[in-house]
Each structure stands twice: as structure tokens, then as C-alpha cells.
Amino acid sequence: AKVALVAGLRGLAAWNKWRWVPALRAGDTMATAALRRSISVEMAVVVLILLVTATITRVTTPPVNL
């Protein structure tokens, strides 16, 4: 799940760079709102990645040698 979320996050970031950043430079007024929404989604995915990571480390802790 974590790898899939990170891959999705990278894809979304690439989409922003190739689609919305050039549109902003060209003066597209719709690009600002679209980029803000997309960045909000990116932040939500980052939170999900952190939650998945926390869950993985809590569930799969290494055994303790006594």
C-alpha cells in the first residue's frame, strides 16, 4: 500500500509540473484553482503515507531477544 501511495504521489506531482505549472506561466486563470486542489490532494496522500508507515511499524515490529 505504501509503495502504491508513493508512486501515485509521484505521478500526481509530475502531472502538476507538466500540466498546471506551464498553464500558470501562460496566464491560465483556471490553473491556479486546479493546482491548489491538486496540491491539497498531494498533502492528503502524504498523510495517508505516514499513517500506513505508522501502521506497518506498529504491526510488524521485530522480535525482542531476551
Side-chain angles (χ1 to χ4, degrees), residues 38-59:
S38 187
I39 290 172
S40 295
V41 171
E42 282 185 39
M43 289 189 301
V45 172
V46 168
V47 169
L48 284 173
I49 291 168
L50 292 173
L51 287 172
V52 167
T53 303
T55 302
I56 289 170
T57 58
R58 187 158 177 83
V59 172

Side-chain angles (χ1 to χ4, degrees), residues 21-37:
V21 172
L24 279 173
R25 288 186 183 145
D28 184 359
T29 58
M30 300 294 290
T32 303
L35 185 59
R36 284 183 188 199
R37 279 192 308 271

